[in-house]
Amino acid sequence: MKLPLAYYGNPLLRKKAEPIGEITEAIRQLAADMIETMDANNGIGLAAPQIGQSIRLFVLRRYAVQEDGTRVITDPYVYINPKIVEHSEEEESEEEGCLSIPKIRMQVSRPKRIKVEATDLEGKAFTHDLEGINARVVMHENDHINGVLFIDRVRGAARKRIEDELRQIKKKLGN
Ligand code: ZN
């Protein structure tokens, strides 16, 4: 089932989300609904606070390069209680957007490589070493479960330029 999105201005997006204890049938259903919601909105990642649940869970798809060089997106991954345990000193800047902040896209600087630990829907722990866009998506979603938005990582004149747009989003969509 496609779920309604929480938009910029919704206080849930600013809350530090709670860890998940037992992985119940309800959590499995929620993860499936989040994947459906992410895909329906053409997103590459979605965190639980974005659909109104303040718990430490996000879903995403990865970019992979095929043999012929074309970029495809992978099957979905589910991250429960994730923890970024290592990140590179080296950073890179790329454009980001967010389903909760429609139409705004900005350059955000983040570490190039990370190591992330999490639990999957079967309750099994896993570790992923990621870089580039795939690391970026994990960091963006991990920010969400800590109440942080990508626009918080943009400062100065660039951030000032979007203040009006942010106010409009909050007025029109903030729920
Ligand atoms: Zn987002």
Side-chain angles (χ1 to χ4, degrees), residues 4 12 19-20 22 60-61 69 118 131 141 143:
L12 262 191
I20 292 173
E22 202 189 337
L60 55 83
R61 290 180 188 269
E131 66 171 273
E141 302 310 331
D143 272 354

Side-chain angles (χ1 to χ4, degrees), residues 38-97:
M38 166 178 79
D39 291 345
N41 289 285
N42 297 314
I44 194 80
L46 187 69
Q50 293 182 276
I51 47 88
Q53 297 281 337
S54 196
I55 53 174
R56 304 187 79 76
L57 161 68
F58 56 75
V59 300
L60 55 83
R61 290 180 188 269
R62 295 240 176 89
Y63 290 103
V65 179
Q66 284 181 316
E67 266 173 47
D68 65 0
T70 52
R71 205 160 78 151
V72 293
I73 51 173
T74 65
D75 286 342
Y77 290 85
V78 177
Y79 286 73
I80 295 168
N81 298 332
K83 212 172 195 164
I84 294 170
V85 291
E86 276 174 40
H87 63 83
S88 62
E89 287 300 312
E90 191 186 350
E91 296 206 346
E92 64 185 3
S93 187
E94 287 288 346
E95 201 178 65
E96 287 186 29

Side-chain angles (χ1 to χ4, degrees), residues 98-166:
C98 179
L99 293 179
S100 294
I101 315 175
K103 294 193 182 121
I104 292 184
R105 299 192 63 84
M106 302 197 84
Q107 291 284 326
V108 182
S109 183
R110 296 188 188 266
K112 198 171 173 180
R113 286 176 300 279
I114 58 165
K115 185 192 283 286
V116 58
E117 294 174 355
T119 300
D120 67 18
L121 283 177
E122 277 70 53
K124 268 202 344 233
F126 64 85
T127 303
H128 289 156
D129 288 287
L130 300 168
E131 66 171 273
I133 179 74
N134 294 326
R136 179 171 296 275
V137 175
V138 165
M139 287 184 273
H140 178 117
E141 302 310 331
N142 194 63
D143 272 354
H144 271 303
I145 59 174
N146 289 321
V148 175
L149 300 172
F150 81 102
I151 51 169
D152 302 340
R153 299 196 176 277
V154 179
R155 307 233 177 265
R159 174 62 199 260
K160 276 216 179 72
R161 272 200 296 278
I162 59 163
E163 287 301 335
D164 269 354
E165 261 178 285
L166 287 175

